[in-house]
Amino acid sequence: MMSRLPPPALEHVCDLEVALDPLREMGPGNAGQRRIIPIVGGRVSGPKINGVILNIGADWQTVFANGMAELDTRYAIETDDGALVEIRNFGYRHGP
């Protein structure tokens, strides 16, 4: 019988309100349709981090023929106390 791992301990750090520019279609690539969604600002608020999302990021996506999208998102936060935080998210999404 396989033992189960305990559920991960999660802690709420912050909420993000992200401002986006219009999606830019880049055309077909080797793996699928390429597009970029510019991240142009926003707000970070929560019990652990507060600050702003800087206008220096984007969500680079490849959308495959089956509708699944590969996401590679990079942006930066400046906290209220002046720290700069680089954020990188990578994952997959499928659905409307």
Side-chain angles (χ1 to χ4, degrees):
M1 180 171 182
M2 294 181 64
S3 64
R4 294 183 183 219
L5 295 173
L10 303 175
E11 183 178 351
H12 179 233
V13 174
C14 64
D15 294 312
L16 304 177
E17 295 177 41
V18 182
L20 306 172
D21 261 0
L23 180 143
R24 305 286 303 259
E25 291 289 350
M26 303 300 290
N30 289 338
Q33 192 69 18
R34 300 286 300 145
R35 62 187 185 186
I36 301 170
I37 304 168
I39 297 171
V40 297
R43 181 83 193 136
V44 181
S45 58
K48 301 286 185 179
I49 299 174
N50 290 284
V52 295
I53 298 171
L54 301 177
N55 181 11
I56 55 171
D59 181 1
W60 297 75
Q61 299 183 359
T62 300
V63 182
F64 301 97
N66 67 0
M68 182 179 68
E70 178 185 75
L71 314 174
D72 184 2
T73 305
R74 298 176 189 206
Y75 56 100
I77 293 170
E78 183 173 3
T79 64
D80 286 348
D81 64 359
L84 296 176
V85 181
E86 176 187 10
I87 307 294
R88 180 165 186 222
N89 301 305
F90 184 83
Y92 297 92
R93 174 188 171 278
H94 192 278

